[in-house]
Amino acid sequence: MRLIDLSQPISDAGPNCPAHPPIRLKQVADHPADGWRMEVLECATHTGSHCDAPLHKMDGGASLDDLPIATWVCDAYLVDLRPASDDLAITSELLEEQLGEHDLDDKVVLLCTGFGELREDPRWKASPALLAPDGAAWLVEQGVRGVGIDHYSIGGNDDEYNIPTHETLLGNGVWVVEDLAFPAEVHKLSQPVRFWALPIRIAGASGAFCRPVLEVS
């Protein structure tokens, strides 16, 4: 078995959702003076590659604690939308065109826009290339288990899209994984491919950092 890393790094003052606190990563002990090295990290739980549980948007929704660990491991289909324009809305029509021939029941759909490679680009903060609400509804109708994207917000920054997209997915028990990276080799894989996105176990949390990978036999 081989694992392909789909995670984005977390670094001091690194790329982050502008609505969240800045990332602070400080080294507080080091060799040889202290005899060990240790860092302190301060950031939102929805920073870097992270999972959203239903509680993130739904009052009374399931938290990370409520979801079995196996929830975050399943087969996935990758949708290659590169190079996506800044204003791309991933609609039901586009998803039907890309995925209509596949059985998506209990699968994860991973949306590759190319913006995961542009985290230092000013356009990244504007949250380009989002999943439209009708696209989210189409995925729910197909019975997907989860949806991922290579950006920090699957529904963008504008509440007109962001709120209904998140609520449509999370309100129907479809989890979300955001801020993914898609190295070139993933586009050569046979699909579906096994996807893992195990979130850190933070008690009662609406989401948490994860280390997403594709499992290649």
Side-chain angles (χ1 to χ4, degrees), residues 18-32:
H20 293 170
I23 302 170
R24 297 287 179 256
L25 178 60
K26 182 179 179 182
Q27 186 175 299
V28 294
D30 199 9
H31 304 285

PDB file of all heavy atoms in Angstrom, residues 18-32:
ATOM      1  N   PRO A  18      -9.794  34.247   5.753  1.00  0.00           N
ATOM      2  CA  PRO A  18      -9.681  35.601   6.323  1.00  0.00           C
ATOM      3  C   PRO A  18     -10.665  35.874   7.457  1.00  0.00           C
ATOM      4  O   PRO A  18     -10.463  36.819   8.230  1.00  0.00           O
ATOM      5  CB  PRO A  18      -9.941  36.519   5.121  1.00  0.00           C
ATOM      6  CG  PRO A  18     -10.608  35.675   4.100  1.00  0.00           C
ATOM      7  CD  PRO A  18     -10.115  34.281   4.314  1.00  0.00           C
ATOM      8  N   ALA A  19     -11.711  35.073   7.576  1.00  0.00           N
ATOM      9  CA  ALA A  19     -12.665  35.249   8.674  1.00  0.00           C
ATOM     10  C   ALA A  19     -12.165  34.630   9.975  1.00  0.00           C
ATOM     11  O   ALA A  19     -12.764  34.846  11.031  1.00  0.00           O
ATOM     12  CB  ALA A  19     -14.016  34.648   8.297  1.00  0.00           C
ATOM     13  N   HIS A  20     -11.080  33.870   9.913  1.00  0.00           N
ATOM     14  CA  HIS A  20     -10.553  33.181  11.085  1.00  0.00           C
ATOM     15  C   HIS A  20      -9.374  33.946  11.685  1.00  0.00           C
ATOM     16  O   HIS A  20      -8.738  34.762  11.000  1.00  0.00           O
ATOM     17  CB  HIS A  20     -10.094  31.773  10.701  1.00  0.00           C
ATOM     18  CG  HIS A  20     -11.213  30.874  10.300  1.00  0.00           C
ATOM     19  ND1 HIS A  20     -10.998  29.636   9.737  1.00  0.00           N
ATOM     20  CD2 HIS A  20     -12.570  31.016  10.376  1.00  0.00           C
ATOM     21  CE1 HIS A  20     -12.155  29.058   9.491  1.00  0.00           C
ATOM     22  NE2 HIS A  20     -13.113  29.876   9.860  1.00  0.00           N
ATOM     23  N   PRO A  21      -9.050  33.666  12.955  1.00  0.00           N
ATOM     24  CA  PRO A  21      -7.874  34.298  13.554  1.00  0.00           C
ATOM     25  C   PRO A  21      -6.607  33.909  12.797  1.00  0.00           C
ATOM     26  O   PRO A  21      -6.517  32.803  12.252  1.00  0.00           O
ATOM     27  CB  PRO A  21      -7.839  33.721  14.977  1.00  0.00           C
ATOM     28  CG  PRO A  21      -9.195  33.150  15.214  1.00  0.00           C
ATOM     29  CD  PRO A  21      -9.731  32.746  13.889  1.00  0.00           C
ATOM     30  N   PRO A  22      -5.620  34.799  12.745  1.00  0.00           N
ATOM     31  CA  PRO A  22      -4.346  34.441  12.103  1.00  0.00           C
ATOM     32  C   PRO A  22      -3.705  33.240  12.789  1.00  0.00           C
ATOM     33  O   PRO A  22      -3.884  33.027  13.995  1.00  0.00           O
ATOM     34  CB  PRO A  22      -3.490  35.699  12.300  1.00  0.00           C
ATOM     35  CG  PRO A  22      -4.450  36.804  12.583  1.00  0.00           C
ATOM     36  CD  PRO A  22      -5.620  36.161  13.283  1.00  0.00           C
ATOM     37  N   ILE A  23      -2.978  32.468  12.039  1.00  0.00           N
ATOM     38  CA  ILE A  23      -2.282  31.302  12.591  1.00  0.00           C
ATOM     39  C   ILE A  23      -1.052  31.786  13.355  1.00  0.00           C
ATOM     40  O   ILE A  23      -0.258  32.580  12.841  1.00  0.00           O
ATOM     41  CB  ILE A  23      -1.852  30.340  11.478  1.00  0.00           C
ATOM     42  CG1 ILE A  23      -3.059  29.877  10.665  1.00  0.00           C
ATOM     43  CG2 ILE A  23      -1.118  29.137  12.067  1.00  0.00           C
ATOM     44  CD1 ILE A  23      -2.688  29.123   9.406  1.00  0.00           C
ATOM     45  N   ARG A  24      -0.901  31.276  14.560  1.00  0.00           N
ATOM     46  CA  ARG A  24       0.285  31.577  15.361  1.00  0.00           C
ATOM     47  C   ARG A  24       0.949  30.250  15.739  1.00  0.00           C
ATOM     48  O   ARG A  24       0.363  29.427  16.446  1.00  0.00           O
ATOM     49  CB  ARG A  24      -0.088  32.355  16.628  1.00  0.00           C
ATOM     50  CG  ARG A  24      -0.701  33.719  16.335  1.00  0.00           C
ATOM     51  CD  ARG A  24       0.349  34.694  15.844  1.00  0.00           C
ATOM     52  NE  ARG A  24      -0.202  36.000  15.543  1.00  0.00           N
ATOM     53  CZ  ARG A  24      -0.429  36.465  14.324  1.00  0.00           C
ATOM     54  NH1 ARG A  24      -0.147  35.694  13.273  1.00  0.00           N
ATOM     55  NH2 ARG A  24      -0.924  37.665  14.127  1.00  0.00           N
ATOM     56  N   LEU A  25       2.149  30.048  15.261  1.00  0.00           N
ATOM     57  CA  LEU A  25       2.919  28.844  15.568  1.00  0.00           C
ATOM     58  C   LEU A  25       4.242  29.284  16.161  1.00  0.00           C
ATOM     59  O   LEU A  25       5.073  29.890  15.480  1.00  0.00           O
ATOM     60  CB  LEU A  25       3.143  28.015  14.299  1.00  0.00           C
ATOM     61  CG  LEU A  25       3.969  26.742  14.455  1.00  0.00           C
ATOM     62  CD1 LEU A  25       3.329  25.780  15.446  1.00  0.00           C
ATOM     63  CD2 LEU A  25       4.153  26.061  13.097  1.00  0.00           C
ATOM     64  N   LYS A  26       4.431  29.012  17.444  1.00  0.00           N
ATOM     65  CA  LYS A  26       5.593  29.524  18.172  1.00  0.00           C
ATOM     66  C   LYS A  26       6.374  28.379  18.790  1.00  0.00           C
ATOM     67  O   LYS A  26       5.803  27.479  19.418  1.00  0.00           O
ATOM     68  CB  LYS A  26       5.135  30.490  19.267  1.00  0.00           C
ATOM     69  CG  LYS A  26       6.267  31.118  20.051  1.00  0.00           C
ATOM     70  CD  LYS A  26       5.728  32.085  21.100  1.00  0.00           C
ATOM     71  CE  LYS A  26       6.856  32.716  21.912  1.00  0.00           C
ATOM     72  NZ  LYS A  26       6.330  33.617  22.963  1.00  0.00           N
ATOM     73  N   GLN A  27       7.671  28.416  18.608  1.00  0.00           N
ATOM     74  CA  GLN A  27       8.549  27.445  19.257  1.00  0.00           C
ATOM     75  C   GLN A  27       8.844  27.937  20.667  1.00  0.00           C
ATOM     76  O   GLN A  27       9.352  29.041  20.853  1.00  0.00           O
ATOM     77  CB  GLN A  27       9.845  27.321  18.461  1.00  0.00           C
ATOM     78  CG  GLN A  27      10.773  26.248  18.959  1.00  0.00           C
ATOM     79  CD  GLN A  27      11.979  26.106  18.053  1.00  0.00           C
ATOM     80  OE1 GLN A  27      11.847  25.802  16.878  1.00  0.00           O
ATOM     81  NE2 GLN A  27      13.148  26.354  18.599  1.00  0.00           N
ATOM     82  N   VAL A  28       8.500  27.141  21.674  1.00  0.00           N
ATOM     83  CA  VAL A  28       8.627  27.582  23.067  1.00  0.00           C
ATOM     84  C   VAL A  28       9.734  26.848  23.823  1.00  0.00           C
ATOM     85  O   VAL A  28      10.027  27.187  24.970  1.00  0.00           O
ATOM     86  CB  VAL A  28       7.291  27.425  23.817  1.00  0.00           C
ATOM     87  CG1 VAL A  28       6.247  28.365  23.229  1.00  0.00           C
ATOM     88  CG2 VAL A  28       6.797  25.982  23.793  1.00  0.00           C
ATOM     89  N   ALA A  29      10.334  25.853  23.207  1.00  0.00           N
ATOM     90  CA  ALA A  29      11.474  25.155  23.818  1.00  0.00           C
ATOM     91  C   ALA A  29      12.317  24.569  22.697  1.00  0.00           C
ATOM     92  O   ALA A  29      11.813  24.249  21.624  1.00  0.00           O
ATOM     93  CB  ALA A  29      11.004  24.051  24.758  1.00  0.00           C
ATOM     94  N   ASP A  30      13.627  24.442  22.953  1.00  0.00           N
ATOM     95  CA  ASP A  30      14.517  23.919  21.916  1.00  0.00           C
ATOM     96  C   ASP A  30      15.768  23.314  22.548  1.00  0.00           C
ATOM     97  O   ASP A  30      16.089  23.566  23.713  1.00  0.00           O
ATOM     98  CB  ASP A  30      14.897  25.043  20.939  1.00  0.00           C
ATOM     99  CG  ASP A  30      15.418  24.504  19.613  1.00  0.00           C
ATOM    100  OD1 ASP A  30      15.325  23.282  19.395  1.00  0.00           O
ATOM    101  OD2 ASP A  30      15.930  25.297  18.807  1.00  0.00           O
ATOM    102  N   HIS A  31      16.460  22.528  21.742  1.00  0.00           N
ATOM    103  CA  HIS A  31      17.750  21.965  22.134  1.00  0.00           C
ATOM    104  C   HIS A  31      18.834  23.028  21.905  1.00  0.00           C
ATOM    105  O   HIS A  31      18.708  23.867  21.030  1.00  0.00           O
ATOM    106  CB  HIS A  31      18.059  20.741  21.264  1.00  0.00           C
ATOM    107  CG  HIS A  31      17.007  19.678  21.290  1.00  0.00           C
ATOM    108  ND1 HIS A  31      16.817  18.824  22.350  1.00  0.00           N
ATOM    109  CD2 HIS A  31      16.074  19.324  20.358  1.00  0.00           C
ATOM    110  CE1 HIS A  31      15.825  17.985  22.067  1.00  0.00           C
ATOM    111  NE2 HIS A  31      15.356  18.277  20.868  1.00  0.00           N
ATOM    112  N   PRO A  32      19.927  23.020  22.635  1.00  0.00           N
ATOM    113  CA  PRO A  32      20.187  22.148  23.793  1.00  0.00           C
ATOM    114  C   PRO A  32      19.708  22.740  25.110  1.00  0.00           C
ATOM    115  O   PRO A  32      19.713  22.060  26.126  1.00  0.00           O
ATOM    116  CB  PRO A  32      21.707  22.021  23.771  1.00  0.00           C
ATOM    117  CG  PRO A  32      22.172  23.338  23.234  1.00  0.00           C
ATOM    118  CD  PRO A  32      21.132  23.764  22.223  1.00  0.00           C
TER     119      PRO A  32
END
